[in-house]
Amino acid sequence: TTEIYTLSLHDALPISSGCKKDDLQAALDEANSKLQDSQGQLDKEKQSNIELSAENQRLQDRIAELEEEIKQLTVQIEQLAKEAGVTKAELDELRKEKAKREKELSVYKNLFNELKALVDSGTIKVVFRKGRLVVELASSILFESAKASLSDEGRAALTKLAKALASVKGRDFLVAGHTDDRPMRSARYKSNWDLSTARAVEVVNHLIEQGMPPKYIGAAGFGEFDPVGDNKTDEGRAQNRRIEIILMPNLGDIPGMKEMLQGK
């Protein structure tokens, strides 16, 4: 069972080695704060008359106690890291990673709030797939069968969507076209690869017309090779005929990646 002892003003601070690092850090911050307060009081007392000399001594003693407690807490944090096989630098890196993930989650939440009206109306679906936030539109809304020209209904839906997507600044989006597994029979499109790619490009062009920055958006066709439904049923095939607009993850700098690519 994990033990946590609170910081006392008069007693040394025994903290179990199994104490969580966050609890230790909180205790250390508290001790530092009390040290600063005590030092401030001491500065004021040094200007007082001789009658306060006894209080000054007590404050000096308390400062010494706090400094020792801080020293003990620092050692305990480092010891916890060693016992867990983690260095202080690695703990700091973990904290940075947590902050980065929290920032990424905030982006997802803000985008979903922008899209909520379209979700509620059934125009789009927003899902997490393969670790990415995906805005999904059925091809039946956007295109006629075996064609890559946007319908009026599709243009209207994408026009509403473009404003929400453009609210996410400095992030890349990928528009991905998907089909079912039925062979393509068209003089213009030789395969489902061709059709899915042409549809993705058509969507990208319309989103750019509606204000999406071109440098943050791209197009790709996946044909029938990334299904989300069962191609043996009409319902499954309908699910597979779709356009996905994917918010690409922002992984930031990966430690050691630059050196690896440089052969170091």
Side-chain angles (χ1 to χ4, degrees), residues 139 142-149 174-182 184 186 188-204 218-226 240-244:
S139 289
L142 303 174
F143 306 102
E144 294 181 16
S145 178
K147 294 184 179 181
S149 297
L174 177 68
V175 177
H178 301 268
T179 69
D180 60 28
D181 66 348
R182 287 180 171 175
M184 172 56 49
S186 168
R188 185 169 184 179
Y189 304 109
K190 296 180 181 180
S191 69
N192 284 326
W193 285 108
D194 290 346
L195 178 62
S196 63
T197 302
R199 285 178 168 179
V201 171
E202 182 77 0
V203 171
V204 165
F222 288 82
E224 70 264 33
F225 298 102
D226 189 18
N240 293 332
R241 297 189 296 269
R242 69 197 190 279
I243 288 289
E244 293 182 344

Side-chain angles (χ1 to χ4, degrees), residues 98-259:
K98 178 184 176 183
K100 184 173 70 175
R101 296 299 180 186
E102 289 174 342
K103 184 178 180 180
E104 186 78 355
L105 179 59
S106 176
V107 171
Y108 291 154
K109 287 181 176 179
N110 291 339
L111 177 56
F112 185 79
N113 288 336
E114 292 284 343
L115 297 172
K116 192 174 185 304
L118 291 174
V119 173
D120 291 344
S121 68
T123 303
I124 65 172
K125 291 198 301 183
V126 179
V127 299
F128 268 95
R129 188 164 176 262
K130 297 181 178 179
R132 302 168 181 174
L133 185 146
V134 177
V135 178
E136 185 178 309
L137 300 94
S139 289
S140 59
I141 294 177
L142 303 174
F143 306 102
E144 294 181 16
S145 178
K147 294 184 179 181
S149 297
L150 283 168
S151 65
D152 291 341
E153 183 182 6
R155 288 181 176 276
L158 290 173
T159 297
K160 294 177 182 178
L161 182 58
K163 181 179 178 181
L165 299 180
S167 70
V168 182
K169 306 299 183 182
R171 293 296 295 273
D172 292 336
F173 288 90
L174 177 68
V175 177
H178 301 268
T179 69
D180 60 28
D181 66 348
R182 287 180 171 175
M184 172 56 49
R185 295 184 177 88
S186 168
R188 185 169 184 179
Y189 304 109
K190 296 180 181 180
S191 69
N192 284 326
W193 285 108
D194 290 346
L195 178 62
S196 63
T197 302
R199 285 178 168 179
V201 171
E202 182 77 0
V203 171
V204 165
N205 285 334
H206 186 74
L207 291 175
I208 291 173
E209 289 173 3
Q210 300 305 312
M212 282 288 292
K215 66 179 180 179
Y216 292 127
I217 191 167
F222 288 82
E224 70 264 33
F225 298 102
D226 189 18
V228 293
D230 186 353
N231 276 311
K232 295 179 181 179
T233 67
D234 290 340
E235 181 181 1
R237 284 191 293 272
Q239 292 173 353
N240 293 332
R241 297 189 296 269
R242 69 197 190 279
I243 288 289
E244 293 182 344
I245 302 176
I246 304 163
L247 175 61
M248 303 303 289
N250 183 10
L251 300 178
D253 294 329
I254 300 176
M257 180 63 73
K258 182 178 179 181
E259 291 76 8

Side-chain angles (χ1 to χ4, degrees), residues 14-37:
I15 296 183
S16 167
S17 61
C19 180
K20 295 180 180 178
K21 61 180 181 294
D22 289 343
D23 296 325
L24 288 171
Q25 186 64 53
L28 176 59
D29 292 343
E30 182 182 358
N32 271 312
S33 177
K34 291 180 179 177
L35 173 59
Q36 291 175 1
D37 291 342

